[in-house]
Amino acid sequence: MGRRDYEMEDAVKAVEGQVAEPIVRALLVGAAGSSEGTLGGALKSLFGRSRRKAGLHSRNALVLTTTSIRVFACDAHGWPPRARDEVGAWPVGSVRVSAEAAEKWSAFNASHSGSVTNRFYDITLTPTAADEPIVVQCPRTDSARSTIQALEDATGSKPSRITARRRKKQQREREAIDEAKSAEAGD
């Protein structure tokens, strides 16, 4: 029995009523720059050209369904945030996904009496059509890694370094199960 994925549950609640088809994975993400933790990063996320052009807000929902990848801009108030506008929707086969780990050091945080390093993932969705890529950020969590892996698998994108360790672990687990089954059959 697996652990409960509260992050996915919140993301599904955020897009409730907006998506008619079954949701494979969903994740609440921020616009690029929203996880940087500095005043400059916050201003860049509020006024940055790429965010404005893409229609992203500080809170967004990234949704993978059986046939499409969709991004919704969400309200900034309340939890879970409510999806307001659909920023983009693409068929699964017409998007390439890349992800990389990033971190940003903030110079000083008065409430923590020192500096803080924010660790997050940058997820880039690149439609194969002429659309510009959309870059979103999310904290480094198991739910984020699961969503990235599901996106890579669904789109046929090259696996990232983020999911490589997870894929190796899953392969070792499958091999151990296969060995156990063959040992039982041999007894």
Side-chain angles (χ1 to χ4, degrees):
M1 184 171 158
R3 293 186 345 205
R4 188 169 170 184
D5 191 345
Y6 292 102
E7 290 180 57
M8 182 169 162
E9 288 177 14
D10 288 341
V12 170
K13 285 179 192 172
V15 297
E16 204 169 81
Q18 301 269 347
V19 180
E21 55 190 312
I23 295 173
V24 177
R25 290 293 307 172
L27 184 66
L28 293 173
V29 296
S34 60
S35 299
E36 291 186 359
T38 62
L39 180 59
L43 290 174
K44 185 169 69 174
S45 76
L46 287 174
F47 304 110
R49 182 188 311 156
S50 64
R51 178 179 160 212
R52 272 196 324 260
K53 194 185 319 181
L56 296 173
H57 292 192
S58 58
R59 289 185 185 172
N60 306 284
L62 174 61
V63 179
L64 171 65
T65 67
T66 53
T67 60
S68 64
I69 296 174
R70 300 171 75 175
V71 178
F72 294 91
C74 297
D75 290 329
H77 305 294
W79 193 260
R82 304 298 308 158
R84 219 179 349 166
D85 305 318
E86 187 170 45
V87 175
W90 308 273
V92 169
S94 67
V95 177
R96 291 292 150 241
V97 177
S98 63
E100 58 184 53
E103 59 184 39
K104 181 72 175 186
W105 178 75
S106 61
F108 184 73
N109 186 327
S111 64
H112 288 43
S113 300
S115 62
V116 175
T117 302
N118 294 317
R119 291 177 172 81
F120 50 90
Y121 294 129
D122 284 328
I123 303 171
T124 305
L125 303 172
T126 309
T128 54
D131 295 344
E132 293 221 5
I134 291 182
V135 180
V136 293
Q137 292 178 336
C138 61
R140 293 185 191 181
T141 62
D142 286 337
S143 184
R145 284 185 286 276
S146 295
T147 302
I148 292 168
Q149 184 172 350
L151 286 166
E152 290 171 349
D153 291 345
T155 61
S157 299
K158 179 182 173 191
S160 63
R161 292 178 65 190
I162 295 166
T163 59
R165 184 181 313 155
R166 180 184 203 88
R167 290 176 195 278
K168 286 180 184 175
K169 179 181 176 187
Q170 290 170 342
Q171 183 179 0
R172 283 193 304 269
E173 289 171 352
R174 282 192 299 269
E175 289 171 354
I177 290 170
D178 290 343
E179 287 177 16
K181 286 180 181 177
S182 65
E184 282 180 15
D187 288 343

